[in-house]
Amino acid sequence: MTAVASDASTRRGRSVLRLRRAAVGWGFALPFTVLFVVFMAGPVLASLLMSFTDIRSADLRNPLGVNVVGVHNYSRLLHDEVFVKAAVNTAIFVFAGVPLTMVAGLAAALGLNSGLTRFRSLFRVGYYLPVVTSIVAISVVWRFLLQPDSGLVNGLLGLVGVHGPNWLYDTRLALPSLIVMAAWRNLGYQMVIFLAGLQAIPQELYEAARIDGATAWQQLRYVTLPALRPTLLFVGVISTIGYLQFFEEPLVMTRGGPLNSTLSVSYHIYNQFGFGNYGYASAMSYVLFLVIVLMSILWFRLLRSEEGR
């Protein structure tokens, strides 16, 4: 009986100790948990519910008096010409900008990893500097660079006898101009990631390939790119998520113009919230979220490891 009582007392003591440890842990986590619920989880859940209602800014005084419209906001998107235009612009921005940025970042990383030994750190800082610079500041600078009369780009073109176009006010050139600017700004971040991936590849693989007579292109195709599969996956997913949400560039440089040629989905959502169409804007936000999830899944299917195939 004494042994049984002792075992029971020991189990109770351990339970109390576990409860105390759990209480201490939750005590430390409580500030973050409260902030997360109030400022993150709560608004996300509220926006999901709002997307099924016709709530507008005028309804904030009586939020329980709004009408539930089901999937009407989502079906309305298919007939919204402005939203369709914004979706097409965003798709062009992603499918042109992501590959361009990845190729430029990989090329810069290959150059720094193989051919350039002196001033390597200086070039790293130079390429990465636009990443840590405010996107608003960069957009303002590029807007002045691309001015039709006083911009540096057209000024340089004029030196060789070429009359520069109106980059940001031509419906055919405005979006490509933003794509080039975004690729220039983000290639430094991708270069750093690719450089880390390249330095993790065993040199024995390249030595074996050279012994077998592989050319530089064959080494890149059959050694470097397969070894960089996880890095390519990470960079592709992160870049796609960022480019699907591009917003600051058109806001600062073009205001979505000319004729909505640079209007993005994020910018259109921002406008709808500004107009007070909270339910409709919430529906657009969740459509964009769904596209981000699907694009991420596509990247994982394309670049998952050989073991997972």
Side-chain angles (χ1 to χ4, degrees):
M1 293 295 293
T2 304
V4 173
S6 177
D7 291 340
S9 177
T10 302
R11 287 195 296 268
R12 284 195 299 270
R14 290 175 178 175
S15 300
V16 171
L17 182 60
R18 286 197 294 267
L19 289 175
R20 287 179 178 176
R21 290 178 176 176
V24 171
W26 277 108
F28 282 110
L30 185 61
F32 166 78
T33 304
V34 172
L35 292 175
F36 176 79
V37 171
V38 173
F39 294 104
M40 291 291 294
V44 168
L45 179 60
S47 65
L48 178 61
L49 297 177
M50 287 165 54
S51 69
F52 297 104
T53 69
D54 62 352
I55 185 172
R56 293 179 52 83
S57 57
D59 299 318
L60 292 180
R61 294 182 178 179
N62 184 24
L64 298 180
V66 300
N67 298 316
V68 178
V69 297
V71 297
H72 173 71
N73 288 327
Y74 293 92
S75 61
R76 178 182 167 189
L77 295 175
L78 300 176
H79 307 287
D80 185 349
E81 294 182 359
V82 179
F83 175 79
V84 173
K85 178 64 175 177
V88 171
N89 292 339
T90 303
I92 295 173
F93 192 86
V94 171
F95 287 105
V98 171
L100 177 62
T101 311
M102 292 181 67
V103 169
L106 180 58
L110 288 171
L112 290 178
N113 189 58
S114 58
L116 187 64
T117 56
R118 299 184 62 184
F119 306 111
R120 179 179 296 180
S121 299
L122 179 63
F123 279 95
R124 286 181 183 175
V125 173
Y127 278 118
Y128 197 76
L129 189 60
V131 180
V132 297
T133 305
S134 169
I135 180 59
V136 175
I138 290 178
S139 299
V140 170
V141 171
W142 272 77
R143 186 176 63 185
F144 283 106
L145 291 176
L146 297 176
Q147 287 295 315
D149 300 324
S150 57
L152 179 62
V153 175
N154 283 355
L156 294 176
L157 292 176
L159 296 177
V160 295
V162 177
H163 180 69
N166 199 343
W167 297 99
L168 298 179
Y169 300 94
D170 189 323
T171 55
R172 298 169 299 177
L173 298 175
L175 187 59
S177 299
L178 297 187
I179 292 173
V180 171
M181 188 205 75
W184 169 82
R185 178 179 183 267
N186 292 287
L187 75 88
Y189 172 77
Q190 299 192 6
M191 178 206 69
V192 171
I193 303 299
F194 280 131
L195 193 58
L198 289 171
Q199 293 175 350
I201 300 176
Q203 291 300 313
E204 293 80 3
L205 298 178
Y206 293 105
E207 294 175 0
R210 285 191 291 269
I211 292 174
D212 291 338
T215 62
W217 167 251
Q218 289 173 330
Q219 292 179 43
L220 174 65
R221 181 179 179 183
Y222 296 108
V223 178
T224 304
L225 293 181
L228 282 179
R229 187 189 297 271
T231 308
L232 289 169
L233 174 60
F234 173 79
V235 171
V237 171
I238 294 299
S239 300
T240 302
I241 292 174
Y243 278 42
L244 280 170
Q245 301 177 81
F246 88 105
F247 168 75
E248 293 91 347
E249 297 91 336
L251 175 67
V252 176
M253 298 179 68
T254 62
R255 293 291 179 180
L259 299 177
N260 292 329
S261 60
T262 59
L263 182 68
S264 66
V265 173
S266 295
Y267 196 4
H268 190 37
I269 294 171
Y270 169 81
N271 287 336
Q272 290 302 314
F273 269 109
F275 298 153
N277 301 324
Y278 297 155
Y280 190 46
S282 298
M284 283 191 285
S285 300
Y286 276 93
V287 169
L288 180 60
F289 169 74
L290 180 60
V291 172
I292 290 175
V293 172
L294 293 177
M295 290 296 295
S296 300
I297 293 174
L298 179 61
W299 273 109
F300 274 93
R301 284 189 170 273
L302 290 176
L303 292 174
R304 59 184 175 180
S305 62
E306 293 293 339
E307 292 79 3
R309 290 179 180 270

